[in-house]
Amino acid sequence: MPSQSIETAVWWEDVAKTYFFKGDRYWRYNEEKRTMDPGYPKPISVWKGVPASTQGAFVDKAHGFTYFYKGKEYWKFNNQLLRVEPGYPRSFVKDFMGCDRMPRDPGRPPADDGNSDVVIELDNEASTVKAIAIVIPCVLALCLLVLVYTVVQFKRKGTPRHILYCKRSMQEWV
C-alpha cells in the first residue's frame, strides 16, 4: 500500500476483495485473510477504460456495474466484461443530479471556465401558492388537535349535561 493517501477504495462483496487506487496503480486486499494479495500493485490499465487518479467509486451490485468518478465526469465499469461501457465518460452533474448546465437566463451565456461549480439561484418572491401550502396544513393540524382534546375531555369528564338532556328530550319526543 502506498504510504500517502489513497484516492479511491471500492469493496466488491462477491469476491470479498477491496481495491485501493492511487494514481495509475491499484492494490487488491483480501478481506477474509486480512492481507494484501501478492503481485500488487498493478497498473490501472487492467481496468480497461478507468482513468488514473479517480476520486471515488461505488458499486451497483443489482445491475453489475462499478461507477468511478473524477471531477465532473464518471465512468460506468461493467463488472462482468471488466471494461468501461461505451459512451463514457459522462457528466456526473447532468446524469446524477439532473443539471443540464443550461443557463437560467437565455440571454446570459453560460460561465463555464472549467473551474466553476453548479450554482443554484433561488427565487425569493413571495407567492400566494406558497402561503396557502403552509397555512392549510397548519389549520388542519389545529382542527385535529381540537378534536383530539374534545374527545379526551369527553372520556375523562363524561358527556356534558346539556347534551344528555337534549338526547333524552329527543327520545321522549319520538
Side-chain angles (χ1 to χ4, degrees), residues 102-111:
M102 295 298 293
R104 184 181 170 119
D105 180 5
R108 185 178 71 196

Side-chain angles (χ1 to χ4, degrees), residues 20-155:
F20 297 98
F21 297 84
K22 171 122 174 111
D24 61 351
R25 297 181 299 163
Y26 78 99
W27 291 257
R28 187 173 71 190
Y29 181 79
N30 187 321
E31 294 290 341
E32 293 172 355
K33 295 178 182 177
R34 297 193 169 275
T35 60
M36 201 61 69
D37 284 344
Y40 288 87
K42 290 186 177 181
I44 200 169
S45 61
V46 172
W47 298 69
K48 294 179 181 71
V50 174
S53 300
T54 58
Q55 294 172 316
F58 59 93
V59 177
D60 178 3
K61 184 178 175 186
H63 297 101
F65 295 104
T66 301
Y67 294 87
F68 290 89
Y69 61 91
K70 179 178 180 179
K72 296 178 185 174
E73 295 180 319
Y74 75 99
W75 291 257
K76 184 177 180 181
F77 185 81
N78 187 316
N79 297 345
Q80 299 300 318
L81 302 176
L82 299 176
R83 64 174 174 80
V84 169
E85 290 286 297
Y88 288 87
R90 293 180 56 169
S91 170
F92 186 85
V93 175
K94 183 178 179 182
D95 291 355
F96 284 88
M97 302 176 113
C99 300
D100 58 3
R101 302 191 69 139
M102 295 298 293
R104 184 181 170 119
D105 180 5
R108 185 178 71 196
D112 187 11
D113 58 354
N115 295 325
S116 62
D117 291 328
V118 176
V119 176
I120 299 172
E121 295 180 20
L122 300 176
D123 182 12
N124 290 329
E125 294 180 21
S127 70
T128 307
V129 175
K130 290 178 186 175
I132 290 173
I134 293 171
V135 170
I136 289 178
C138 290
V139 169
L140 290 174
L142 182 62
C143 290
L144 184 63
L145 286 173
V146 168
L147 178 65
V148 168
Y149 175 77
T150 305
V151 168
V152 168
Q153 290 300 321
F154 279 163
K155 286 190 179 231

